[in-house]
Amino acid sequence: MSTQQYEHHLTLKQDKLCPFRFKSLNNFRDTICNWHRNIEIMIVTDGEGRVQYSSEDIVLSKGDIVVVNTGELHRVYSETSISIDYVIIDESFCRENGIDTVERYFERVFKNAEIKELFVCAYERYTEYKSDPTPIKIARVRLAVLELIAELYENCSSDAKVAHSGQDTPQDYIKKVLEYLAEHYTEPLTLDGVASICGITKFHLAREFKKYTGQTVVTYINILRCKKAEVCLSDGMTVTEAAGESGFDSISYFSRTYKKLMGVSPSSKKSK
């Protein structure tokens, strides 16, 4: 999966004792649609917006807790701005402690003061560990995260699972497309070619992709490319080099697209 995705989870295992990712996103407008096997917990700390969860669009306000179940397509967006704190927890950590987050269904959006308090405690423990990674502090992080997930499991989840027919659903092949784009977005791509990996027509793909991600396939690819270009520019590449490295074959198109999607011109992001 692309490291440009804001909640890239494959890096969770880099620290075996701390297989979690905590982060704050402040005053943002949109995140890129993605999915992962690991459970994610978000708390809205300010503002209001929506979470596109699978094909459902859910209103969010301050204090809401969002739990992203395993394998669910999701993105958070706002017409004004929204701030969230989130944690992604490696599912193997939960399983090793007797909690199965893959076969469990968690409530999607709710308010719960006790869970919020446990989340804040875990975030604080994590911050303390990152600033001073001692054995005792990592033990406290693990205990805090385990208490959080145990509370969710016991009081905000059920065994209910939706039966699968054995055939791919629209969400299944959109997930395949997202994985494919994450690995190939810097290469020349066509809508027909992308649709062929799922055995569907480009018209079917275009309709379902917009429904599940809120974006067109072209816009999604351009977002991935612009985020790659942002890293390249920060690393000292010229605008021309960054454009080529990220998959754009036209400097003028790259400049227009970058400014539209990132809000600034690519030259303004170049490392000084």
Side-chain angles (χ1 to χ4, degrees):
M1 297 292 286
S2 169
T3 56
Q4 300 310 310
Q5 294 187 33
Y6 87 95
E7 44 189 26
H8 179 58
H9 61 288
L10 298 182
T11 57
L12 292 179
K13 296 181 184 297
Q14 285 184 350
D15 186 342
K16 293 182 179 179
L17 290 177
C18 188
F20 325 116
R21 179 170 182 180
F22 284 88
K23 194 170 182 181
S24 294
L25 293 177
N26 296 311
N27 302 316
F28 70 96
R29 298 287 294 273
D30 201 357
T31 61
I32 193 167
C33 183
N34 69 105
W35 67 276
H36 40 75
R37 184 177 175 86
N38 300 315
I39 190 172
E40 178 177 1
I41 306 163
M42 293 183 275
I43 293 184
V44 180
T45 57
D46 199 17
E48 56 186 23
R50 293 176 178 270
V51 57
Q52 186 163 351
Y53 199 127
S54 187
S55 60
E56 188 176 357
D57 205 45
I58 306 171
V59 175
L60 298 178
S61 59
K62 185 175 180 179
D64 281 345
I65 298 170
V66 181
V67 181
V68 179
N69 284 281
T70 182
E72 291 281 7
L73 290 165
H74 60 282
R75 74 179 179 109
V76 176
Y77 66 98
S78 173
E79 293 182 357
T80 52
S81 69
I82 188 170
S83 298
I84 63 171
D85 291 342
Y86 73 88
V87 59
I88 302 173
I89 305 170
D90 184 64
E91 57 91 15
S92 62
F93 169 81
C94 299
R95 189 175 62 252
E96 289 163 1
N97 286 280
I99 300 175
D100 190 343
T101 55
V102 174
E103 296 299 325
R104 194 78 170 175
Y105 182 82
F106 294 85
E107 292 181 36
R108 290 181 170 185
V109 181
F110 56 91
K111 293 183 187 289
N112 184 300
E114 185 172 359
I115 288 174
K116 181 178 179 180
E117 184 177 342
L118 290 171
F119 181 98
V120 170
C121 177
Y123 205 157
E124 289 175 349
R125 297 298 192 199
Y126 176 83
T127 302
E128 292 169 2
Y129 165 70
K130 285 299 181 181
S131 63
D132 182 22
T134 64
I136 291 300
K137 287 184 178 177
I138 186 55
R140 287 174 175 164
V141 176
R142 291 169 66 88
L143 284 171
V145 171
L146 188 57
E147 188 170 2
L148 169 63
I149 200 69
E151 182 68 22
L152 276 172
Y153 188 96
E154 188 172 27
N155 296 309
C156 302
S157 70
S158 69
D159 291 323
K161 292 290 288 183
V162 178
H164 199 289
S165 65
Q167 296 182 334
D168 282 350
T169 64
Q171 181 173 238
D172 290 331
Y173 56 70
I174 294 302
K175 286 160 66 175
K176 288 182 182 178
V177 168
L178 293 182
E179 282 191 296
Y180 180 83
L181 295 180
E183 295 175 359
H184 300 280
Y185 67 91
T186 60
E187 304 169 12
L189 295 170
T190 65
L191 197 56
D192 278 321
V194 174
S196 69
I197 71 170
C198 296
I200 58 177
T201 68
K202 64 180 181 181
F203 305 106
H204 191 186
L205 171 62
R207 182 177 65 252
E208 296 298 331
F209 196 92
K210 177 72 173 179
K211 174 182 176 182
Y212 280 91
T213 72
Q215 296 160 334
T216 66
V217 177
V218 171
T219 297
Y220 189 91
I221 293 171
N222 282 336
I223 290 172
L224 292 178
R225 288 175 173 174
C226 285
K227 287 183 174 293
K228 171 69 172 179
E230 182 178 40
V231 174
C232 292
L233 292 165
S234 297
D235 287 344
M237 288 190 185
T238 66
V239 171
T240 301
E241 290 169 338
E245 186 70 19
S246 54
F248 290 97
D249 55 11
S250 165
I251 298 300
S252 59
Y253 180 68
F254 167 60
S255 297
R256 291 196 307 272
T257 302
Y258 192 96
K259 186 170 185 178
K260 177 181 178 181
L261 295 177
M262 308 298 281
V264 295
S265 66
S267 58
S268 70
K269 296 296 293 184
K270 191 177 183 306
S271 175
K272 302 300 182 182

